[in-house]
Amino acid sequence: MNKTTSRKRILILGGTTEANELANSLAQDPHFDVITSRAGVTKTRKAVSGKERIGGFGGVKRLKEYLREHQIVAVIDATHPFAQAMTVNAFTACQDMVIPHIVLSRPKWLQTGEDNWIKVQSLESAIDYLQAIKKPLRIFVTTGQKELNNFTRISHHHYLARMIEAPDINPLPLNLEVLFERGPFSLENEIKLLHNHKIDIIVSKNSGGNATVAKLHAARKLDLPIVMISRPILPAAQIAESLAEVHSWLSDHGKTLQN
Ligand code: NAP
């Protein structure tokens, strides 16, 4: 690709609210030319400022080709804290190519004395935990559509899932009910939902952030247990916990970014 501008080209790996906010704020900065990359999992997407690309890169080798071809001078990985594969690939590619790289990762949720969390290390462990409970439960499963089938295979439980779009499961299992709603959700909304659907237990990833935190507050109020899945182990990358930290990282690197 020919260089058409002296603006430094930044790649944001997105799929999160934070990635959109970052793209919108960096697009105001005349020093940067921002490309936001999304996996293309959801069909409906919020528009962001700057350029966009959709779809996987095709592994580390192809990602490196993309970074080279598009003269990317810095990568900000603002993917979801559970998007482990993309984060590992981006870290590896940037290390190999000596491209400045930072992970924007929202702080995880912390358990308080009033929370009843069953902490598990992985989705598989959450499934094993539920499998071992013989009494049929009504479960609010909030881990996303990718993993839904693994839960519904435990057929003696009933599941409620909340999605932005219809899950790619046809036909829907009989023990699954799907609600279509996009966050952020209020405490009032979450209490009503848990109450109306007679939920016994919630399954959640420790995603952090404000958009979906109300379910934790509602569970606390209703004294419901949460099977809380810990975050995957990620590479030893530099981490920023806020947009402000990314902005300050970029301004520290500003003069040395190559393009
Ligand atoms: P993942 O397991 O890390 O990624 C699987 C593959 O999808 C990656 O290897 C990559 O394909 C492609 N990919 C992921 N993020 C991409 C991006 N931003 N741009 C281009 N390609 C991307 O991720 P996931 O858990 O399936 O999540 C997919 C996307 O949904 C992520 O972008 C994430 O931010 C968002 N998201 C995930 C969750 C969650 O709970 N996991 C929740 C909310 C949003 P190639 O190897 O072909 O490059």
Side-chain angles (χ1 to χ4, degrees), residues 10-11 32 79 84 109-110 124 161 170 179 182 215 221:
I10 309 284
L11 178 67
F32 300 120
T79 55
Q84 191 178 19
W109 293 319
L110 298 174
E124 291 72 26
N170 198 5
L179 278 182
R182 192 189 273 271
K215 69 185 169 196
K221 285 237 177 261

Side-chain angles (χ1 to χ4, degrees), residues 152 157-159 171-177:
T152 54
H157 297 316
H158 179 276
Y159 302 87
L172 279 187
L174 292 173
N175 60 344
L176 172 67
E177 186 179 347

Side-chain angles (χ1 to χ4, degrees), residues 12-16 36-42 53-60 62-63 77-89 106 142-144 146-147 205 207:
I12 298 175
L13 299 169
T16 58
T36 300
S37 172
R38 303 200 251 209
V41 177
T42 51
R53 68 164 299 287
I54 311 286
F57 295 94
V60 175
R62 293 274 171 80
L63 174 60
D77 177 353
T79 55
H80 189 272
F82 281 75
Q84 191 178 19
M86 188 69 252
T87 293
V88 170
N89 286 358
R106 45 177 110 128
T142 66
T143 50
K146 206 162 87 173
E147 291 96 6
K205 292 175 174 170
S207 301

Side-chain angles (χ1 to χ4, degrees), residues 134-149:
K134 297 298 166 223
K135 180 185 163 210
L137 296 175
R138 294 182 62 82
I139 304 172
F140 182 33
V141 58
T142 66
T143 50
Q145 83 139 317
K146 206 162 87 173
E147 291 96 6
L148 216 42
N149 262 336

